[in-house]
Amino acid sequence: MITFLLFGFLLAALIAVFLQEIRRPKNYPPGPQWLPLVGNTPLVRKLARASGGSHLAYEALARQYDSQVIGLKLGREYVVVALGYPAVREVHNKEAFDGRPNNFFIRLRTMGTRLGVTCTDGPFWAEHRNFVIRHLRQAGYGRQPMQLQIQNELNELIGIIRVLEEKPVWPGSILPTSVINVLWTFTTGSRISRDDSRLVTLLQLLQNRSKAFDMSGGILSQLPWLRFIAPEWTGYNLLKKFNLELNEFFMTTIKKHHQEYSEEKCDDDLIYAYIKEMKSRMNDPNSTFTDLQLTMIILDIFIAGSQTTSITIDLALMMLVCHPEIQRKIHEEIDSTLAPTELPQQHDRSNLPYTEAFLLEVQRYFHIVPVSGPRRALSDTTLGGFNIPKNTTILMGLRTVHMDPKHWGDPENFRPERFIDENRQIFNTDRLIPFGLCRRRCLGESLARSCMFTFLVGILQKFSLQKPSEQSPDPDLKLQPGITLSPKPYHIVFKQR
């Protein structure tokens, strides 16, 4: 009898757990029924493989359920995907969605902690975000000192291109170092030599990392226990290696700054300014300013700013080769505005509206971060009329905003003119949101825009871009999936003008 009762109790408990696992919250957004423990992970991965990326899988589900807000469960985590401008804007505008998930993948990204700026929230996030913004402004961020740093890197990049002597090259093999050095100079006060073997290794790790995961963290976030069974396949070993390399790279620089610290250097770079802040709080037992947090802030800057900017420039060069008539128009505009020896600056953007419109169209057309986020609901709230439980992860489908035919008319066509009005002024940018909106807007937007504009104009002042031969096929416009979409390697010739 006791055995029977124990068996009955165990069976009832298992049924209760099963029902709880598959239970859908009241008025949760529409979506497929999920399985216990794994949720919708198998379905989403299957759709992603078939369609070419998780962002396209989410769009397929939106069509299937006729909803711009899709409710899923990935692993054991509630995940809601906002698709289309109204839903995406609501997420950006609503303070309840300002949080960041606190899951295994997010913590692993920051070396097992929940530190930095990108993946934190609440008072901690606000305090450190404000510090970074304040220091960068003091160091000239968004002003002439930043422009000079970018121009210095442009000059070196042009020198690298000249050394090629018109031999075919993939731009993606030379651009990232230039962008990283702009970031690194603001952060550490010095640049990294292109010959530094550690830099080559780190760039390769960064590229591998971006292809191994999607914005939701992929299988490692949804089923973290799989790292014990398949550490290579899940990307766990890759992230551990990435963290180890970066931590060593950053800590060497931080230790050197500690050794050479003086009050006079505190405006030189971010690390010296942070050390000064640490020293001013030495007697505060609740201070959150530590060497580990500084490492995570640098990691955030490195991850967020390096690849997206260099990939966008890479794609811009690719489209100029595919559209020689656009390249001709930009050359004419640059030649009529800037002297051959005059280095481009941020304020030239208003005098080069077609060039600016071209860069905006590159960002719209390729949307290299097709799913933005992730966010976390800080409280029970609503989205698009549906209930969103506290701690739900929110993803935003930016591709559905940038490729919406109801707004853009012909989104599949690459057409810079959509951003220029009859007075040759830039307009129609409200729904172009590659850097996000509101409180979580990207910290590096000013730097990224200045890098993209200065590098592109500076290169086109000196060179025309051509395919290696007339018989060479056009570059493949279908991008490789990952956290950021990236072009497949292609080769062009930088021909001296």
Side-chain angles (χ1 to χ4, degrees):
M1 177 64 72
I2 294 176
T3 303
F4 179 77
L5 289 174
L6 287 174
F7 177 79
F9 177 78
L10 179 61
L11 181 62
L14 289 174
I15 292 173
V17 170
F18 175 82
L19 293 175
Q20 179 62 27
E21 282 288 323
I22 65 171
R23 182 185 69 86
R24 200 172 192 87
K26 184 179 179 181
N27 195 33
Y28 194 62
Q33 179 61 54
W34 49 70
L35 302 170
L37 300 178
V38 297
N40 297 121
T41 296
L43 172 64
V44 170
R45 289 182 64 80
K46 179 181 178 181
L47 287 173
R49 286 193 299 270
S51 59
S54 59
H55 59 294
L56 297 176
Y58 300 140
E59 291 179 35
L61 290 171
R63 291 191 295 271
Q64 179 181 346
Y65 290 93
D66 191 25
S67 175
Q68 295 294 286
V69 183
I70 298 298
L72 304 168
K73 195 176 186 184
L74 300 180
R76 305 192 68 184
E77 185 176 7
Y78 290 132
V79 176
V80 167
V81 187
L83 302 158
Y85 182 71
V88 168
R89 185 170 182 82
E90 184 176 350
V91 174
H92 278 115
N93 285 337
K94 212 165 191 177
E95 205 167 329
F97 294 124
D98 275 355
R100 290 292 195 198
N102 184 16
N103 57 34
F104 176 80
F105 179 77
I106 293 294
R107 293 192 300 273
L108 182 61
R109 176 195 179 277
T110 48
M111 305 180 192
T113 71
R114 194 159 187 260
L115 298 174
V117 176
T118 301
C119 294
T120 55
D121 51 39
F124 180 93
W125 164 72
E127 180 180 36
H128 286 271
R129 183 180 186 275
N130 290 341
F131 170 83
V132 173
I133 291 174
R134 186 172 68 252
H135 167 72
L136 290 177
R137 285 175 179 165
Q138 289 171 352
Y141 185 78
R143 304 197 309 275
Q144 192 63 18
M146 181 182 79
Q147 189 64 59
L148 291 174
Q149 292 290 348
I150 297 171
Q151 289 174 338
N152 288 339
E153 294 303 326
L154 169 63
N155 284 330
E156 190 203 45
L157 180 61
I158 288 173
I160 294 292
I161 295 173
R162 281 182 173 144
V163 169
L164 294 170
E165 296 181 338
E166 301 185 4
K167 294 177 183 175
V169 65
W170 175 33
S173 66
I174 58 176
L175 286 168
T177 304
S178 299
V179 175
I180 284 173
N181 265 319
V182 174
L183 294 168
W184 197 253
T185 302
F186 265 96
T187 305
T188 71
S190 61
R191 61 189 310 280
I192 314 171
S193 169
R194 284 179 177 263
D195 300 327
D196 192 322
S197 60
R198 297 174 302 160
L199 179 59
V200 175
T201 301
L202 289 172
L203 284 171
Q204 187 61 55
L205 277 169
L206 196 60
Q207 291 170 2
N208 291 343
R209 176 190 179 278
S210 71
K211 295 180 179 65
F213 308 98
D214 58 26
M215 186 53 74
S216 66
I219 197 73
L220 195 56
S221 175
Q222 298 153 22
L223 306 173
W225 50 267
L226 280 177
R227 71 188 185 278
F228 299 116
I229 302 171
E232 287 291 338
W233 177 69
T234 58
Y236 178 70
N237 282 352
L238 172 64
L239 262 182
K240 293 286 284 186
K241 182 181 180 183
F242 178 77
N243 288 344
L244 183 66
E245 294 273 354
L246 279 182
N247 188 54
E248 180 182 343
F249 195 69
F250 296 150
M251 284 309 299
T252 300
T253 303
I254 291 171
K255 287 177 181 177
K256 185 177 180 182
H257 275 66
H258 272 293
Q259 293 166 358
E260 300 176 355
Y261 172 81
S262 69
E263 288 281 345
E264 294 74 27
K265 295 181 178 180
C266 291
D267 291 332
D268 290 356
D269 59 57
L270 177 65
I271 297 179
Y272 280 133
Y274 197 93
I275 292 174
K276 179 182 179 181
E277 192 71 18
M278 287 173 60
K279 289 181 177 295
S280 72
R281 298 169 180 245
M282 285 180 61
N283 297 322
D284 180 2
N286 299 316
S287 173
T288 57
F289 283 73
T290 65
D291 279 343
L292 182 58
Q293 167 64 357
L294 174 56
T295 304
M296 295 303 105
I297 289 174
I298 300 173
L299 176 65
D300 283 343
I301 293 171
F302 194 90
I303 290 176
S306 60
Q307 274 205 306
T308 52
T309 303
S310 60
I311 287 174
T312 302
I313 301 169
D314 192 357
L315 291 170
L317 300 178
M318 185 176 80
M319 293 307 282
L320 291 174
V321 171
C322 294
H323 297 273
E325 74 285 357
I326 293 178
Q327 183 178 171
R328 177 184 57 79
K329 290 180 181 179
I330 293 177
H331 273 140
E332 290 175 354
E333 184 177 69
I334 292 173
D335 293 345
S336 64
T337 305
L338 300 177
T341 58
E342 184 181 359
L343 287 173
Q345 300 197 53
Q346 182 77 342
H347 63 70
D348 292 320
R349 288 168 60 181
S350 60
N351 299 321
L352 298 169
Y354 188 79
T355 306
E356 176 72 2
F358 166 74
L359 280 170
L360 294 173
E361 180 69 344
V362 169
Q363 294 169 76
R364 184 203 67 82
Y365 187 82
F366 286 108
H367 39 262
I368 61 174
V369 183
V371 178
S372 178
R375 301 291 186 89
R376 175 174 64 91
L378 297 172
S379 60
D380 291 342
T381 185
T382 61
L383 175 61
F386 299 106
N387 293 343
I388 308 298
K390 181 181 179 180
N391 291 326
T392 297
T393 294
I394 313 296
L395 303 176
M396 291 172 280
L398 296 189
R399 181 185 180 277
T400 59
V401 177
H402 294 163
M403 299 297 282
D404 181 2
K406 293 180 180 178
H407 177 75
W408 303 105
D410 58 344
E412 299 297 334
N413 291 331
F414 187 86
R415 190 167 57 84
E417 289 79 5
R418 72 176 76 248
F419 292 110
I420 303 178
D421 66 15
E422 62 275 9
N423 298 315
R424 293 190 60 76
Q425 299 294 313
I426 297 297
F427 86 126
N428 194 27
T429 59
D430 290 350
R431 296 199 181 195
L432 182 64
I433 49 176
F435 297 99
L437 298 168
C438 304
R439 293 167 294 276
R440 281 282 184 180
R441 196 178 186 103
C442 177
L443 287 174
E445 179 177 355
S446 175
L447 180 65
R449 290 190 185 279
S450 188
C451 275
M452 290 187 289
F453 177 82
T454 304
F455 284 174
L456 179 70
V457 173
I459 289 171
L460 292 179
Q461 277 182 297
K462 310 294 183 184
F463 306 97
S464 62
L465 314 178
Q466 301 176 3
K467 292 190 293 184
S469 69
E470 291 185 5
Q471 291 73 37
S472 299
D474 284 342
D476 190 346
L477 300 186
K478 186 176 181 181
L479 305 187
Q480 302 177 100
I483 288 182
T484 53
L485 304 187
S486 58
K488 297 171 185 174
Y490 65 97
H491 288 78
I492 63 174
V493 171
F494 291 89
K495 192 172 182 62
Q496 188 82 32
R497 296 184 69 199

